[in-house]
Amino acid sequence: MRHQVARRGRTIGGALAAGGGYGGGFDTLRLVLALLVMVFHAGATLGSRLWTDTLTPLTGSLVPLFFGVSGFLVAGSASRLPVGPFLVNRALRILPALTAVTLVTALVIGPLFSSYGPAAYFAQPAVWQYGANSIGLFRAQLPGVFTQNGQPGIVNAALWTLAYEIACYGLMAGLIILGLLQRPRLLLALAVAVAVTPALLEGLGLLPLFAQNGLFRLVFLGRGAILFAAFLGGALLYVWRDAVPLDGRLFAAALAGIALVHGLGPDRWPLVETALSGLCLAYIAVAIGVTDFGGRIGPYKVDYSYGLYLYHCPILNAVYSLAPRIESVTILVLLALGPTLLAAAASWHGLERPILGARRRLGRTVAALHAVISGKGLGFQRARPLVGYRGGAPMDPGFARPEALLGTRKRSKTL
C-alpha cells in the first residue's frame, strides 16, 4: 500500500488525491496572481516601463496562469456534470459579481470622477453601453472618466479577459457534449490538432484566407489566443492527471520553455509559441496548485481573488486621480490595496458566497430537469475519464470541501 501511494504521489493526480481531491495551493496561487496583476496595472496607470515593457515575460504570463488554473479546475467540474448544470454553475460563479462591478463602476465611480456633470454624464450613450461588460463584452471607457491616467480613458483594463473566460466555458461545454473528457486520447489529439493548425495553414499558404474570419483570429491569432491554449492545457492536465508526473525537472523544463519562447520572440517561433507557452504555463500553475503552496491561506472559507481582480483597476485609477503626483508603483498599490480588499470582501461575503450556496440547490434542480428531458434518470452524472487507461486511477472525489470528505476519510481508516 505504501508503495502504491508513493507511486501516485509522483503524479498530479496523486498529489490531488493526497489533498482530499483539492490542491490547497490553488487558493494561494490565485490570490498571488491577482495581487501581481494589480501591481502590473498600477505600473500601467503610472506609465511605468518596468512593468509594461521590461518585465513582459512575467507580466505576460500572469493571466494565462489564471487560465491554466481555470482549465484544470473547471475540467474537474465538467467531468462530473451534464452540460446544463455545468453552464448554470459557471454563469452563477462569474456573472453576478461581474455585473456588480460593472454597475458600481458606471453608476458610482463614473459620475464621481467624470469631467462631465451628473446630468451630462448620464446622458451619454457610453454609460449604458458600458453595461455590456456584465456579460463579458468589453467596453473600456466611460464619459470623461480617468482620461489623464497612464491608460487614458480605460476604466477597468482587467475586464478584457472575461470574454475569453466565458468563451472557454463554451469550449468546455462542447467537450462535455462530445464526451471528450471521457476520451483522453481523443482530447489530446484535438489539442495537438488545434496547436498545429495555424502553422499548417501557413505552410499550405491558406492562413491569410482563414485570418479574415473573426472567430479564427480570436482563437488562433489574437492576443487572447494564449488564454485558450492555457485553458485547454489545464483541462488536458486534469484528464491526464494520473499519467502526468509532478516532477521538479518537468517544472524546470516548463520554465525553460517559457524563457525560450520569450527569448527567441514570436518571429522565430511563428504560430507555435502560443501553444507551447500555454501548455508550459498550465503545467506551472497546476504543479503549484496541487501542492500546499502558501500553507493553505484560508482555503474553502474565503476567496477574494476574483473580487481583487474585478475591482483593483477602477480603484487604482481613482487613487491616482485623487493623488496625481504619485510616482511610485509601491505607494500606489499600498494606497489602493485597502479599498480593493474591502471591495473584494464585500463581493465575496455579500454576493459570491451566498450564490455559491444557492447554486448547489439550483444545480440539483437543473440536473433533474436535464435528466427528465434527456430521459436518463435523475441526478448528476459522474464520469471516470481515465478508466481503461493503463495506470489510470478511479476518479478522485472531486473538488469538494474538506468537511464533505470527512466521512470518506473516516471510512477508509476502518477498512
Side-chain angles (χ1 to χ4, degrees), residues 58-345:
L58 170 63
T59 59
S61 299
L62 296 177
V63 175
L65 284 169
F66 260 125
F67 273 68
V69 171
S70 180
F72 187 82
L73 298 180
V74 169
S77 173
S79 65
R80 301 191 300 275
L81 297 176
V83 66
F86 167 78
L87 290 174
V88 169
N89 276 358
R90 291 296 90 207
L92 291 176
R93 182 65 186 99
I94 294 295
L95 297 182
L98 180 59
T99 300
V101 72
T102 300
L103 293 175
V104 168
T105 305
L107 303 182
V108 179
I109 296 177
L112 287 175
F113 288 89
S114 177
S115 58
Y116 291 88
Y121 171 83
F122 285 109
Q124 302 296 317
V127 175
W128 313 109
Q129 294 168 358
Y130 190 83
N133 283 302
S134 63
I135 55 173
L137 300 177
F138 182 53
R139 297 294 183 269
Q141 297 181 331
L142 284 169
V145 179
F146 304 142
T147 56
Q148 304 302 317
N149 293 356
Q151 293 180 300
I154 300 180
V155 177
N156 195 342
L159 296 188
W160 76 271
T161 66
L162 271 298
Y164 292 94
E165 182 79 7
I166 293 171
C168 284
Y169 296 158
L171 169 63
M172 189 63 72
L175 297 181
I176 295 174
I177 293 171
L178 296 174
L180 293 181
L181 295 175
Q182 288 77 42
R183 295 176 174 84
R185 291 183 179 86
L186 284 179
L187 181 59
L188 178 60
L190 174 64
V192 171
V194 169
V196 303
T197 292
L200 180 62
L201 290 175
E202 185 180 46
L204 296 173
L206 298 176
L207 186 61
L209 177 63
F210 281 84
Q212 297 176 13
N213 181 273
L215 181 60
F216 184 91
R217 290 199 308 273
L218 177 73
V219 175
F220 291 103
L221 304 177
R223 66 170 179 165
I226 190 174
L227 304 184
F228 289 115
F231 184 89
L232 186 56
L236 275 173
L237 290 172
Y238 180 82
V239 172
W240 288 87
R241 64 195 179 281
D242 287 311
V244 178
L246 185 61
D247 191 299
R249 291 168 295 183
L250 191 54
F251 188 89
L255 288 174
I258 296 299
L260 183 63
V261 168
H262 282 283
L264 294 178
D267 293 336
R268 296 287 299 275
W269 288 58
L271 307 176
V272 177
E273 77 281 355
T274 296
L276 177 60
S277 297
L279 182 59
C280 288
L281 289 170
Y283 182 83
I284 292 168
V286 171
I288 294 173
V290 297
T291 67
D292 200 19
F293 171 60
R296 290 190 166 207
I297 298 177
Y300 318 113
K301 296 180 181 179
V302 298
D303 181 6
Y304 292 167
S305 60
Y306 188 39
L308 277 169
Y309 188 85
L310 290 179
Y311 284 94
H312 74 269
C313 272
I315 292 177
L316 283 169
N317 279 314
V319 170
Y320 186 64
S321 293
L322 293 173
R325 294 185 179 181
I326 295 176
E327 297 181 354
S328 168
V329 170
T330 302
I331 293 175
L332 179 58
V333 170
L334 290 176
L335 289 174
L337 185 58
T340 304
L341 285 173
L342 288 175

